[in-house]
Amino acid sequence: MRPVRIVLRSALPFLVALPLLFALQGVISPGWAIVLISAGINVILAVSLNVVNGFTGQFSIGHAGFAAVGAYTAAKITTAMHGLQIVGLSAGVSDQVVFLLALLAGMVTAALAGVLVGMPSLRLRGDYLAIVTLGFNEIIRVIIENTPFLGQATGISGLPRLTTVVWVGMGAVATISMARRLVGSTHGRALLAIREDEVAAEAMGVDTTGYKVRAFVIASAFAGLAGGLLVHLIQLCTPRSFTFVKSIEVVVMVVLGGMGSVTGSVVAALVLSFALEGLREVQQYRMVVYSLLLIVLMLTRPSGIFGTREIWDIVKLPGGRRKAAGAETSP
Amino acid sequence: MTEFLQHLVNGLSVGTIYALIALGYTMVYGVLKLINFAHGDVYMVGAFSGFYLANAMGVGGSPSLAKALVVFVGSMIICGILGVLIERFAYRPLRHRARLTSLITAIGVSFLLEYGFQLPSIPGLGIPFPPGPTPRFFPEPFTRVAWEPFGVYVSNYDVISFFTAVGLMLLLQYIVYRTRFGTSMRAVSFDSQVAGLMGINVNRVIAGTFALGSALAAAAALLFAGSRPKVDPLMGLTLGIKAFVAAVFGGIGNVPGAMVGGLALGLAEEYVSGYALSSYRDGIAFAFLIIVLLVRPAGLFGSFRPEKV
Amino acid sequence: MRLTRTLALMAAVVAVAACQDKKQEAPAPAAPQAAAPAAGGAPAGDKLVFGHVASMTGNEATFGDSTDKGIKLAVDEANKAGGVKGKQLTVKTLDDQGKPEEAAVAATRLVTQDGATVLLGEVASSRSLAMAPIADSNKVPMITPTSTNPRVTKDGDKTRPYVFRVCFIDPFQGTVMAKFARENLKINNVAVLRDVGNDYSVGLANFFAAKFKDLGGTIVADESYKAGDQDFKAQLTAIKNKKIQAIYVPGYYTDVALIARQARELGIKVPLMGGDGWDSVKLYEIAKGALDGSYFSNHYSSEDPSPVIQGFVKKYKETYGSVPDALAVLGYDAANVAIDAMKRAKDLTGPSIRDAIEQTKGYQAVSGVINLDQDHNAVKSAVVLAIKNNEAHFAATVNP
């Protein structure tokens, strides 16, 4: 493929999504918008965690910790830049540019945290790795609670409200296309090989540790993006938004959607977000119903909504889309 | 020195409780390779069973050792049954599926217990069930007697709790290593398929393991309630996580490991918050754990099984 | 198809839950549910909606539950008295599970979909901070019953136009106890034990410590715990040998009761001191005398013979069968301040109600006479309560 085509192909989803998102933003009511935005943030979290838990078969339950790193970085930048204007840009545009930079910076710091946590995964397996990620999540929280610079338990308030349907939509598109393109790439194949059989993968010459760390780093970066988007939605950045309970919620989305199924994560994130939102009316019964849903869903569809397949493997479009080659790696 | 000893007493009293709960995690993990996320909530149910039993028997009004014993054993039985039920309906149907599947049902069961207990009470039941979100008070089963040797405060509750916990652990050790059931349990843990072929009723062994682990959680809840007589629906959350950490620390799946892990975590927490910065307590506990895991990737007593290719 | 079966099951579960909820809600005493079947469908034409954001589930459900009961009682009374400007009031409570992001979503939904005229909530400052920008940008007045962090009504240096509170703020409450400790109790050395994950506790501890040092006292130890912990003996043992005369524990009653018991078990005999988070009958039930000789600052004293207070306590007991805690009282007050302002407002639009709330002066609430200052904080006196024989007794009034 020539470079131009590669660029075009990667840019295509964004070019298609952007006008659609702007149109959506124009017609949607604020009440629906905030529900949709929260759901979109969950989509980013679930799809990115799927890279570690689903593709690579590693078990991470500290995703909210990475989101916290990204969130605090972005929050610190936007509050520091608040009221400042980049020369040559109008106030509105300048804010958007700052926001983009803040989100990117959040992704970078979260990715660095991913390197830090990815390293122990060189040695640890399964539940031991899970504990390390959980521990990392808790350590992040403890550090925030003890750092006056980060506002301790109260957090950072008064953030500008920058997160919109368009921002979250673009973030989700970026995350999904990252995951889809990853799965089809050499890297993705290596990750799937590690999931299916780590020893065999190693024997076939896959640098298992290197790929595991890379998977961690990618997933963390996008978790950081989700964190940055979340705090600029609620205009408040506190450790309470990033407890291990949040991490568990994301794990639930990934497993429910089907490990390794990108569309599964998307659907599960949306279904669970909307279900919880719809259930808000029933007050105390809300979480009881939610837990029953989890149990019933897992009992009836034990490999998740889509298993390891994608939505187009199940629902055939009339156009007859070519089956994704990586779809049938495991039964 | 007094302070050091006091911390030792405190740490042991918490550590034994962690150990009892960690045993439940580790035994279930041993036979099923499943993190029973609902275990912390079984602990909570244990505390509430004790609460209801104690109130039904009027322990608060006229405390006696016999009543305390009935409450103790009664709660253990209730939780044992609960453990079996959870296994039967939430885990058994998924036993041959991917392990993460059962993990999600475990989380589901955990939420169900936590939030189910937070619901408003059913009217006309006679007892306040479900208890609702407001914390409840656990009556004292017998009068508190405190001693003060060398300036270290020790109460009869601490002593009873410590020795009961140690006794239960020895009993468990006996069951696991000296009885027929224990042998089948270890066989299932080693390879459940082959164990089944050897004529062991795998289902019954797994159910028994759940009953045993859950009963221990109930015992832990009641021993802990002696000095900390507050019961609420989310009480198992933090404690459950800590006990899980203790189990991993000792090497999950390993019975003595869970005991050592529990004690180590209890003491580590105690000395960290006593001598260092208490606001960093949870962070330091986890940092310590991570360092241990980096040195011994399968916990203190765990061992890597050679991987089959 | 398995998928269809799954979906059908899911639908069934939700349906069952919805039915259960209706059944449960019907006999609830103070729920004015005349329009229950049309929930959400009816426009806010003939009904005025109070949107209440509360943690009805999760760690702090007990606090959300209390506030909700207080608010519903106030609204019920107002409805019996003919409503506001001829209209009946309803309360729509949405759960936020104790999470700030959920509070933001709940507040937005209440304002934009349920047509809430006034927002009430949240108990904790971290959630109120997430709601405040939504109240401002939608021009819907919001009254928080108990969020005592100064930042809740502030956006940077500016006062948030639509956000009010009916409680005093942390700096005042911290000052009250510091002054009381120094001047009335003549205490020099204090240890602080705070809930490090709770903004309320951390804020109060900081303000107390600053004022206490200003007045010449010494903070000899500063320890932390986390809400949900069951064992506090490590911190207490560390504090014990520091020659303390009192321990300041600005936490929630759910933890304080256990802290008190364990302090006594370790032979710590000095008084404990705390804030309004202590106020609940459960405190004494669990502490069982361990808190005798301790003091805490509060919004009101239930011993106060004033008819407003006694009348409220009686009504609350009749309706819910329990003694109201501080959160129920402030929920009741917040709703009443809103109702009072709506009666005075020239019309029932957000800006008019906002103006009326801002002019609240000398309103006789259960928790004292409420005057709102230019920062939208309630300026009112605090009381210090002394615990004797496992009961709180009035000790002193401290004026702002």
Side-chain angles (χ1 to χ4, degrees), chain C residues 8 44 82 164 210 230 248 290 315 322 343 358 372 381:
Chain C
F164 302 87
Q230 305 259 6
Y248 189 60
K315 270 180 296 193
S322 60
K343 285 180 181 158
E358 198 165 43
L372 290 175
S381 48

Side-chain angles (χ1 to χ4, degrees), chain B residues 3 16 84 92-93 96 104 117 123 131 149 161 163 169 176 188 194 198 238 252 265 282 288:
Chain B
E3 196 178 334
T16 43
V84 173
R92 190 178 297 178
H96 302 293
I104 303 300
F117 270 62
S161 152
F163 284 105
M169 283 187 247
V176 172
V188 170
V194 175
M198 295 295 144
T238 320
I252 194 156
L265 185 68
D282 295 356
F288 178 62

